[in-house]
């Protein structure tokens, strides 16, 4: 079995520094979940074809590991991981009709040896296999999408209102649902009135102040 050590950066402060420098160079949000993963993979083992929602840089430390990478023509900018042959995440299934059952024929193979660095773009199909025992260090960034930044700023704005902070009661009762819908419509009408005044700088000043 392969071993995965998560958040190795918590044990080595220099990795935290490198992660932050890489995040800034990438230009992604300060809300990005960044971490270092260490993969110890035995001979002949690896990962099944899948894609991730994160940006990944792989540094091969020991042994040889082969990577197959292919563009993803099934979905642009996925917000979650998916492995071939498994069920899709419920949200992913709302904007993807079907997934392939095998690695695309246009996949390219990259052979990583000690010192090799590989960039794996977000959402790209990839699979791996070790030749001999292999050890790699990954710099992984789960960066927010535009929708995440907007929702974060929206929440910070709405929590200032006692009406939006009120308990959402009556939403699951048959007899009180109409009253709950009326309450929500009133709140939405106030939001619709406020939204035209929003600007990108208002949103980004909340999520990524400069």
């Amino acid at each position: 079995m392969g071993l995965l050590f998560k958040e190795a950066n918590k044990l080595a402060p220099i990795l935290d520094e490198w992660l932050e420098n890489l995040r800034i160079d990438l230009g992604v949000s300060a809300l990005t979940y960044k971490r270092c993963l260490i993969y110890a993979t035995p001979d002949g083992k690896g990962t099944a074809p899948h894609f991730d929602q994160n940006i990944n840089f792989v540094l091969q430390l020991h042994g040889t590991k082969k990577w197959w990478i292919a563009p993803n023509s099934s979905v642009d900018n996925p917000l979650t991981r998916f492995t071939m042959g498994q069920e899709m995440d419920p949200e992913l299934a709302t904007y993807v009709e079907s997934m392939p059952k095998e690695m695309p024929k246009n996949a390219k193979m990259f052979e990583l040896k000690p010192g090799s660095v590989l960039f794996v773009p977000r959402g790209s199909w990839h699979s791996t296999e070790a030749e001999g025992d292999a050890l790699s260090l990954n710099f992984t960034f789960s960066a927010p999408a535009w929708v995440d930044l907007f929702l974060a700023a929206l929440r910070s704005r709405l929590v200032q209102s006692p009406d939006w902070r009120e308990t959402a009661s009556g939403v699951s009762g048959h007899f009180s649902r109409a009253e709950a819908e009326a309450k929500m419509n009133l709140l939405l009408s106030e939001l619709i009135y406020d939204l035209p005044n929003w600007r990108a700088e208002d949103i980004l000043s909340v999520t990524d102040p400069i």
Side-chain angles (χ1 to χ4, degrees):
M1 295 178 64
L3 296 176
L4 168 59
F5 301 90
K6 297 184 177 181
E7 298 185 322
N9 48 295
K10 290 186 175 180
L11 301 177
I14 188 63
L15 294 180
D16 259 336
E17 181 181 337
W18 293 350
L19 280 167
E20 180 62 9
N21 288 337
L22 278 170
R23 181 195 69 78
I24 294 171
D25 287 343
L26 288 168
V28 294
S29 172
L31 299 181
T32 297
Y33 173 38
K34 56 188 190 297
R35 68 272 193 203
C36 279
L37 308 175
I38 296 178
Y39 286 88
T41 311
D43 181 34
K45 301 298 182 180
T47 56
H50 68 284
F51 62 72
D52 297 301
Q53 77 280 21
N54 50 51
I55 301 165
N56 196 25
F57 294 88
V58 183
L59 172 61
Q60 192 68 22
L61 301 176
H62 174 81
T64 300
K65 196 171 187 178
K66 289 183 176 179
W67 284 71
W68 290 265
I69 301 179
N72 190 338
S73 59
S74 300
V75 56
D76 292 326
N77 302 319
L79 296 175
T80 188
R81 173 190 170 104
F82 173 76
T83 301
M84 288 184 186
Q86 297 186 3
E87 288 189 20
M88 281 191 276
D89 174 88
E91 183 183 70
L92 181 63
T94 65
Y95 56 90
V96 181
E97 292 185 3
S98 63
M99 291 291 190
K101 300 190 184 308
E102 58 183 25
M103 198 70 174
K105 298 187 182 302
N106 61 343
K108 291 185 178 182
M109 192 275 284
F110 300 88
E111 187 175 80
L112 272 61
K113 295 182 179 297
S116 297
V117 175
L118 177 68
F119 170 61
V120 185
R122 171 191 170 197
S124 59
W125 292 109
H126 56 280
S127 62
T128 66
E129 183 179 334
E131 289 188 351
D133 294 341
L135 188 69
S136 61
L137 173 65
N138 290 29
F139 295 84
T140 304
F141 302 85
S142 297
W146 292 113
V147 62
D148 299 311
L149 297 186
F150 177 76
L151 291 177
L154 179 64
R155 178 179 173 82
S156 72
R157 184 101 159 202
L158 296 185
V159 296
Q160 306 305 314
S161 165
D163 292 329
W164 277 101
R165 297 197 307 268
E166 183 182 334
T167 300
S169 59
V171 296
S172 60
H174 292 293
F175 300 105
S176 56
R177 183 57 175 254
E179 183 178 343
E181 290 175 353
K183 173 67 175 181
M184 178 62 81
N185 280 328
L186 178 61
L187 292 171
L188 289 174
S189 66
E190 295 174 354
L191 178 60
I192 292 170
Y193 177 81
D194 185 41
L195 275 176
N197 300 316
W198 282 45
R199 297 293 181 268
E201 53 265 31
D202 299 326
I203 295 174
L204 296 181
S205 65
V206 173
T207 62
D208 292 87
I210 297 178

